[in-house]
């Protein structure tokens, strides 16, 4: 029993903490391919349009998600303990929706 427990702990320690789930990895690869092919704006360009405006409203930028199926970036912010999600079209940079907060 102790040997099984030790094996489980050793195996858990072997998995990198920073490992990215497969579906997230493929979304990031799709975003990169879209940028390289000129179909998507670079994330930095989208952030440059949205982040300063949200920071002026007192929100702190947390990061983003990308949906390769729709080409939509979801930028996440925190303000007064509430999470705000901003959906941005990766092709045009247009803000599509805002929810939360």
């Amino acid at each position: 029993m102790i040997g099984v427990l030790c094996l489980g702990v050793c195996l858990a320690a072997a998995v990198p903490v920073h490992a990215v789930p497969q579906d997230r990895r493929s979304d990031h690869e799709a975003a990169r391919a879209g940028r390289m092919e000129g179909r998507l704006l670079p994330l930095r360009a989208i952030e440059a349009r949205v982040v300063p405006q949200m920071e002026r409203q007192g929100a702190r930028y947390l990061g983003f998600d990308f949906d390769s199926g729709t080409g939509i970036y979801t930028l996440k912010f925190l303000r007064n303990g509430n999470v705000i999600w901003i959906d941005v079209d990766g092709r045009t940079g247009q803000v599509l929706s805002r929810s939360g907060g």
Side-chain angles (χ1 to χ4, degrees), residues 9 14 18-19 38 43-44 63 79 83 85-87:
V9 170
H18 64 277
L43 172 62
R44 300 301 169 228
R79 182 177 61 205
V83 178
W85 294 272
I86 308 288
D87 290 335

Side-chain angles (χ1 to χ4, degrees), residues 46-66:
I46 290 171
E47 289 173 331
R49 294 177 183 194
V50 178
V51 172
Q53 178 183 0
M54 292 300 294
E55 287 177 341
R56 283 191 297 274
Q57 297 175 22
R60 182 171 53 99
Y61 183 49
L62 299 176
F64 74 97
D65 287 323
F66 177 73

Side-chain angles (χ1 to χ4, degrees), residues 74-93:
T74 300
L75 280 62
K76 295 179 277 187
F77 297 87
L78 183 66
R79 182 177 61 205
N80 299 328
N82 297 309
V83 178
I84 302 166
W85 294 272
I86 308 288
D87 290 335
V88 181
D89 186 319
R91 293 172 291 275
T92 65

Side-chain angles (χ1 to χ4, degrees), residues 6 8-10 14 16-17 20 22-23 27 31 41 44 52 58 62 65 68 71-72 80 84 93 95 101:
C6 181
V9 170
C10 292
V17 174
V20 177
Q22 182 63 37
D23 59 331
D27 279 344
L41 293 171
R44 300 301 169 228
L62 299 176
D65 287 323
S68 61
I72 293 175
N80 299 328
I84 302 166
V95 174

